[in-house]
Amino acid sequence: MCGIVGAVAQRNVVPILLEGLQRLEYRGYDSAGLVVIQDGQLQRERSTGRVADLRLKTTDTHGTLGIAHTRWATHGVPSERNAHPHLSNNLIGVVHNGIIENYESLRNRLSAAGYVFTSDTDTEVIVHLIHSHYKNGTCLLDATRASLTELIGAYALGVIALDNPDQLICARRGSPLLMGVGVGEHFIASDVSALLPVTNRVIYLEEGDVAEINRDSYRIFDVSGTELTRPVQVSKISNESVSLGNYRHYMQKEIHEQPQAIADTLESVCNSTSIIPGVFGAEAAAVFSDINSILILACGTSYHAGLVARYWLEEIAGIPCTVEIASEYRYRTSVPNPKALVVVLSQSGETADTQAALNFAMSMGHIHTLAICNVAESALVRLAKLRFLTRAGPEIGVASTKAFTTQLVALFLLTLVLAKQRGRLTEEKERQHLHDLRHLPAASQKVLDMEPLIAKLAEQFANKQHALFLGRGMHYPIALEGALKLKEISYIHAEAYPAGELKHGPLALVDKDMPVISVAPNDVLLEKLKSNLHEVRARGGELFVFADAGTHICEEDGVHIIQMPEHAGYLSPILHTIPLQLLAYYVALQKGTDVDKPRNLAKSVTVE
Ligand code: G6P
């Protein structure tokens, strides 16, 4: 979702802005633009294409102060006139991430005052509002601050003024923004990956912060205008971890990084024969002994991780668990249980609906909260009482892969801790589960070795319009995840059903043009699943079965068996995810879609 980069330096900042935007491309966007002060003017370029197109348009653009933006349309279609930066009277330039909820009333007021709007965006009210204060002689910081008090909604902002060529103002509320500290130069960005070529020293701005940034200095103020000190942190994210290396796409790279990501996530338990609550935070033991149920809140792929965890938590730990889509929960009148542990799952930690759901839960009296997240500095991690950081490393592909499997690892650890606390885990079982977890990186590597086979298989899907995914039990959410991956990046309509539901509706869709992909682990539901597969075959549906060793489903005409290397017991959903990720990836390659940046989607959905 929208990305911001800004810089104030002694050197030309245009290459820094463009490189930063390119590194934020993964967030999802439909247009891009930048503005710098050049030859006494605000020199703006915008493009509805990729950042590469903007690069072509800016070969002669230069300046030592500038702001840049990738836009993901919310108010107004993707077009050059709606792309940021927005300008007011050729004096003020603004880039914005977020949504201004009261923009209509502000727009009416500003229009009446003579401001001419040239876009359909909510952002344009911000730039005119700042201008209305600035033109009266107020300094840029105060003009911005005065404007912020009138805005309702979420924002991360970068602001410049033509007659103030050495200063950048920024502010954040509800949308991520950080500052980069260089030598004699400073930067702003939506996330640290954008700034890694220029600095790894960053300041994470807090909610309500406003900063005045010059080449050699900066000042940060909180909501009430009090100047404060925020720590400069050295980001651990390396430049290498966000580069593509020899892979064709980030998604492919990230699928292959799963063995390492899982191993890193397991680091806290790698040498132990027992697991302790402390891996979820110092207060975890006390919190876990006070809970009687779990409420998981998440969106998208993270929601699917929650659905798998429900099977584990109820079966292994014997604790009741509900899983809810965050955007639904936040608007539902539900009955709070203060003894529930509210678990928010998010790869980014910035998803607006998940944040709002957690805030809503807390406002209803939930005190036990845990964030499982891949970004240490994210809003969710800061908000929750307990936290577990997955160690997937930066995930750039919009379709989440390694963040999902590492979330599952974290949730399995949570299951074990709670099972132990509730007296449901013998020492022997605990050792066995930990042993199985430690085997996961090697086991997932074996699944990755299936890549050439799956690449070949994908050829059979490229010309299909629809696909059906089936699973049972804890593999039903994996069918959901497989279907989501396929639709996200190949644009093939895919649906997932628990196989037992087949005859209650979706069987009507099955014919020779509807490929049916089935997750067939060797577990207690196998025989039931086999009957469901016969129902498909009898209607002429072509079956693609990802089968564990020992499942005895025979390859025949119209039934393709893709043999999984081993059966991983409770951890099987993690292994069965990987071939479905690869399938979606190779089908997308066949179809020639933009794998890492699928149309209309964003990596980090920071608006509602
Ligand atoms: C977007 C992304 C998905 C992700 C979902 C939830 O839709 O494209 O990959 O699963 O947001 O994001 P989160 O960061 O909260 O896990």
Side-chain angles (χ1 to χ4, degrees):
M1 202 144 271
C2 306
I4 289 178
V5 191
V8 53
Q10 272 167 318
R11 53 178 163 160
N12 177 17
V13 297
V14 172
I16 298 170
L17 299 178
L18 289 169
E19 175 69 22
L21 288 187
Q22 206 127 29
R23 285 162 172 265
L24 294 178
E25 280 191 313
Y26 76 93
R27 296 168 70 85
Y29 71 107
D30 38 52
S31 51
L34 60 78
V35 65
V36 291
I37 295 179
Q38 179 175 351
D39 305 329
Q41 292 189 57
L42 286 179
Q43 182 68 34
R44 172 175 66 172
E45 295 296 345
R46 297 181 289 178
S47 156
T48 47
R50 292 284 164 204
V51 174
D53 299 311
L54 182 66
R55 197 180 280 278
L56 292 177
K57 280 185 151 183
T58 49
T59 43
D60 295 329
T61 313
H62 58 86
T64 55
L65 171 70
I67 46 179
H69 190 264
T70 45
R71 172 173 188 254
W72 193 81
T74 54
H75 294 73
V77 294
S79 64
E80 202 169 307
R81 64 191 285 275
N82 285 334
H84 300 212
H86 288 288
L87 307 183
S88 184
N89 294 284
N90 281 320
L91 183 62
I92 309 284
V94 162
V95 288
H96 166 226
N97 174 15
I99 288 187
I100 303 306
E101 291 170 20
N102 58 336
Y103 87 101
E104 270 176 324
S105 60
L106 288 171
R107 189 175 168 126
N108 291 341
R109 197 183 91 201
L110 288 159
S111 298
Y115 284 99
V116 178
F117 282 78
T118 57
S119 79
D120 311 312
T121 65
D122 52 340
T123 302
E124 205 180 346
V125 299
I126 306 175
V127 71
H128 292 317
L129 203 53
I130 294 174
H131 180 272
S132 69
H133 292 286
Y134 190 66
K135 72 174 184 336
N136 298 331
T138 318
C139 73
L140 191 57
L141 174 71
D142 288 344
T144 305
R145 266 209 303 239
S147 305
L148 296 182
T149 60
E150 297 181 66
L151 300 180
I152 299 173
Y155 52 77
L157 285 181
V159 186
I160 62 171
L162 177 63
D163 55 359
N164 202 7
D166 295 322
Q167 194 173 73
L168 174 58
I169 304 293
C170 72
R172 97 156 252 189
R173 179 188 293 282
S175 296
L177 196 68
L178 52 86
M179 287 168 51
V181 180
V183 178
E185 52 189 14
H186 287 108
F187 313 93
I188 58 169
S190 299
D191 82 43
V192 67
S193 61
L195 300 183
L196 289 175
V198 283
T199 186
N200 63 353
R201 299 177 65 226
V202 292
I203 298 169
Y204 292 97
L205 295 175
E206 300 280 341
E207 288 295 278
D209 282 3
V210 184
E212 178 189 71
I213 307 168
N214 300 304
R215 278 206 299 262
D216 295 311
S217 63
Y218 58 84
R219 294 198 297 160
I220 305 172
F221 303 87
D222 70 6
V223 182
S224 60
T226 310
E227 188 170 348
L228 37 77
T229 317
R230 297 261 179 243
V232 178
Q233 302 182 25
V234 177
S235 172
K236 294 191 188 73
I237 296 174
S238 71
N239 205 4
E240 205 173 88
S241 63
V242 291
S243 73
L244 195 51
N246 290 329
Y247 290 99
R248 189 160 165 194
H249 294 97
Y250 281 106
M251 182 178 180
Q252 186 193 24
K253 176 179 182 243
E254 287 154 7
I255 290 172
H256 279 272
E257 282 172 345
Q258 287 178 111
Q260 188 59 50
I262 291 170
D264 290 347
T265 301
L266 284 170
E267 199 185 73
S268 56
V269 294
C270 69
N271 289 320
S272 51
T273 49
S274 75
I275 173 159
I276 50 158
V279 295
F280 291 92
E283 294 163 281
V287 169
F288 292 166
S289 62
D290 191 43
I291 60 167
N292 63 12
S293 66
I294 308 277
L295 169 62
I296 298 179
L297 303 171
C299 300
T301 290
S302 296
Y303 170 69
H304 294 158
L307 290 179
V308 175
R310 182 161 74 115
Y311 289 90
W312 290 336
L313 286 160
E314 297 216 341
E315 190 169 324
I316 304 172
I319 186 160
C321 175
T322 46
V323 189
E324 202 159 330
I325 292 174
S327 56
E328 286 295 307
Y329 172 79
R330 61 182 289 197
Y331 290 116
R332 193 169 73 80
T333 307
S334 52
V335 183
N337 167 14
K339 294 269 181 207
L341 174 67
V342 179
V343 182
V344 281
L345 301 177
S346 174
Q347 45 89 17
S348 64
E350 299 290 348
T351 304
D353 281 319
T354 312
Q355 268 189 70
L358 178 56
N359 276 316
F360 180 61
M362 287 159 66
S363 73
M364 289 209 304
H366 283 285
I367 47 168
H368 300 318
T369 56
L370 163 67
I372 294 179
C373 188
N374 196 38
V375 180
E377 309 83 10
S378 62
L380 272 182
V381 169
R382 284 191 299 225
L383 199 59
K385 189 171 190 180
L386 306 178
R387 66 210 53 164
F388 184 96
L389 291 175
T390 50
R391 303 267 302 276
E395 192 179 69
I396 308 291
V398 163
S400 182
T401 53
K402 60 178 180 167
F404 175 70
T405 42
T406 52
Q407 278 172 345
L408 288 176
V409 168
L411 288 162
F412 196 75
L413 290 176
L414 178 67
T415 303
L416 295 186
V417 167
L418 293 175
K420 193 168 168 184
Q421 188 140 21
R422 300 166 76 80
R424 292 177 63 110
L425 200 63
T426 61
E427 263 180 41
E428 194 194 330
K429 271 195 180 160
E430 184 180 5
R431 258 199 302 274
Q432 183 59 47
H433 285 311
L434 286 172
H435 169 272
D436 293 348
L437 275 170
R438 282 194 283 265
H439 177 58
L440 258 185
S444 47
Q445 188 54 54
K446 278 198 218 162
V447 182
L448 285 169
D449 294 342
M450 297 164 70
E451 187 171 12
L453 183 83
I454 294 170
K456 189 93 197 84
L457 185 74
E459 292 169 12
Q460 301 187 49
F461 288 79
N463 59 355
K464 299 286 189 229
Q465 304 292 320
H466 308 274
L468 197 58
F469 285 71
L470 301 178
R472 292 200 72 130
M474 61 185 174
H475 293 84
Y476 163 52
I478 300 310
L480 284 169
E481 176 59 9
L484 179 64
K485 290 292 90 112
L486 192 68
K487 37 184 169 204
E488 278 181 318
I489 60 167
S490 77
Y491 315 148
I492 291 176
H493 167 226
E495 286 199 60
Y497 272 89
E501 271 293 289
L502 199 57
K503 51 177 124 15
H504 298 292
L507 201 51
L509 296 171
V510 172
D511 63 12
K512 62 176 184 16
D513 295 321
M514 171 71 94
V516 179
I517 298 124
S518 175
V519 184
N522 193 2
D523 66 11
V524 286
L525 289 171
L526 180 62
E527 290 309 315
K528 306 254 179 235
L529 181 73
K530 280 186 189 169
S531 323
N532 304 140
L533 299 185
H534 285 134
E535 290 161 9
V536 170
R537 200 54 212 126
R539 271 89 190 165
E542 196 160 2
L543 275 166
F544 298 85
V545 185
F546 289 87
D548 285 357
T551 46
H552 303 302
I553 302 173
C554 298
E555 177 109 21
E556 54 179 277
D557 195 23
V559 182
H560 310 271
I561 306 295
I562 305 102
Q563 201 70 54
M564 296 286 288
E566 54 188 283
H567 176 61
Y570 280 116
L571 299 174
S572 168
I574 299 177
L575 294 190
H576 270 278
T577 302
I578 297 171
L580 301 187
Q581 297 169 340
L582 286 168
L583 181 67
Y585 174 71
Y586 279 99
V587 175
L589 276 196
Q590 290 282 330
K591 296 198 68 181
T593 59
D594 195 347
V595 172
D596 287 329
K597 298 182 279 291
R599 67 185 180 200
N600 307 337
L601 298 183
K603 179 78 186 158
S604 172
V605 183
T606 51
V607 297
E608 199 183 328

